[in-house]
Amino acid sequence: MREALREARAAPATSDIPVGAVVLDGSGAVVGRGRNRREADADPTGHAEVVALREAAATRGAWRLDGCTLVVTLEPCTMCAGAAVLARVERVVFGAFDEKAGAVGSLWDVVRDRRLNHRPEVLSGVLAGESSTLLAQFFGGRRD
């Protein structure tokens, strides 16, 4: 999660919401990194998770990320939770809950939907305080 937080801290330089993600392979090595890039790239799919999953797939030379873990500072939205399922990641680890758009337990629970053919393990609340503080500082600065 510390690596994901490092990615998140780099996002405000581009005026994007500070969310960071990394993908770890089965040995714990980082194979993909991402931070929110929607504003920087004018890309609605430029969420940290999608960026990290794309890099991990390119690194591994395969779209299936079996045995990998997606670590992200904020609970994934429906798009990102769906991408994690479709990429076949083994687990999703996240920090802060997202009561407004979270799809890994808050509003929806896409990754554990029994109708889907793959359901990653979930570990939530990892360094949630640090992730929440980073987001609060970002949005607090915008309201001044």
Side-chain angles (χ1 to χ4, degrees):
M1 184 60 75
R2 296 257 180 238
E3 288 296 316
L5 282 163
R6 275 191 262 291
E7 289 296 322
R9 287 185 185 100
T14 63
S15 76
D16 276 290
I17 297 169
V19 176
V22 293
V23 176
L24 309 172
D25 68 12
S27 71
V30 176
V31 293
R33 295 177 180 277
R35 64 181 70 113
N36 272 358
R37 299 202 45 86
R38 288 190 316 171
E39 298 297 332
D41 296 345
D43 178 1
T45 68
H47 290 206
E49 301 93 309
V50 171
V51 173
L53 290 167
R54 285 179 180 152
E55 185 174 294
T59 298
R60 290 176 55 131
W63 65 267
R64 293 181 74 101
L65 299 177
D66 298 315
C68 290
T69 299
L70 171 64
V71 181
V72 60
T73 58
L74 181 65
E75 179 182 2
C77 69
T78 52
M79 175 181 68
C80 295
V85 169
L86 292 173
R88 309 295 196 275
V89 297
E90 186 173 323
R91 85 185 41 81
V92 174
V93 176
F94 70 89
F97 283 88
D98 185 349
E99 301 299 326
K100 294 181 180 178
V104 185
S106 288
L107 288 181
W108 300 281
D109 202 349
V110 171
V111 299
R112 290 178 279 222
D113 189 319
R114 293 194 179 278
R115 295 170 292 183
L116 299 176
N117 65 340
H118 178 74
R119 290 180 295 283
E121 174 187 343
V122 174
L123 180 59
S124 58
V126 177
L127 298 179
E130 288 185 48
S131 298
S132 295
T133 297
L134 191 58
L135 290 163
Q137 289 170 343
F138 176 81
F139 286 111
R142 300 248 173 205
R143 293 183 184 117
D144 293 340

